[in-house]
Amino acid sequence: MIKLVALLKKRADISREEFIAHYEHSHVPLIMKHFEPYVVEYTRTYLDHDHPLSFVGGYGSESAFPGVVYDVVTTQSFRCKEDLDAFYEGAAKPGVGEEIAADEAKFLDSSVNQVIIMLDEKRNPGGKA
């Protein structure tokens, strides 16, 4: 399995609630409209900056998230490299990338966003980690 992991930040002029609502009700359907055949799982995990156990630095740091800029960790999973390639090819089709970028401009601060491609290997299937 191959995973595309995106670390994303909301625009400063929208609330956390507006950010989540737009992501879930506008952006996710848009992505799935174009890429559903290739994406086998699409998750969004929203960061809780105010939680007392959220920190930057060593365990037990007194400083809660002073340098963390992300608001969500998004993961899109693909069965194989060919599906990931098809995802990127689909995004390059005329109009598709522009449509996605226009929607992202409504709720994301793209100046700090990061995308990471990860290979997910199960080395101990059915056993304990």
Side-chain angles (χ1 to χ4, degrees):
M1 178 129 346
I2 297 177
K3 293 184 179 183
L4 181 154
V5 177
L7 308 173
L8 307 173
K9 178 182 173 131
K10 72 175 189 64
R11 284 186 3 198
D13 62 329
I14 64 173
S15 71
R16 182 175 195 268
E17 293 76 20
E18 291 169 317
F19 172 72
I20 293 171
H22 185 90
Y23 204 149
E24 295 298 321
H25 303 293
S26 179
H27 197 68
V28 170
L30 174 62
I31 294 300
M32 296 312 289
K33 174 180 92 171
H34 291 293
F35 307 114
E36 190 166 9
Y38 313 114
V39 177
V40 294
E41 185 178 48
Y42 186 8
T43 63
R44 281 89 43 218
T45 305
Y46 297 96
L47 281 66
D48 183 355
H49 297 290
D50 298 323
H51 193 281
L53 293 178
S54 294
F55 61 86
V56 172
Y59 181 74
S61 171
E62 296 294 321
S63 178
F65 271 50
V68 173
V69 297
Y70 303 109
D71 294 291
V72 64
V73 177
T74 295
T75 303
Q76 294 172 336
S77 298
F78 304 86
R79 284 178 287 277
C80 59
K81 181 184 179 307
E82 291 76 20
D83 284 354
L84 177 64
D85 292 345
F87 173 85
Y88 277 110
E89 289 167 10
K93 289 181 181 174
V96 174
E98 294 84 358
E99 182 181 11
I100 293 168
D103 188 63
E104 289 177 346
K106 295 175 183 176
F107 75 113
L108 293 177
D109 174 358
S110 62
S111 68
V112 295
N113 294 339
Q114 294 185 7
V115 173
I116 304 159
I117 303 298
M118 299 170 43
L119 300 177
D120 186 14
E121 289 193 37
K122 307 275 192 250
R123 298 223 178 238
N124 192 18
K128 294 182 180 180

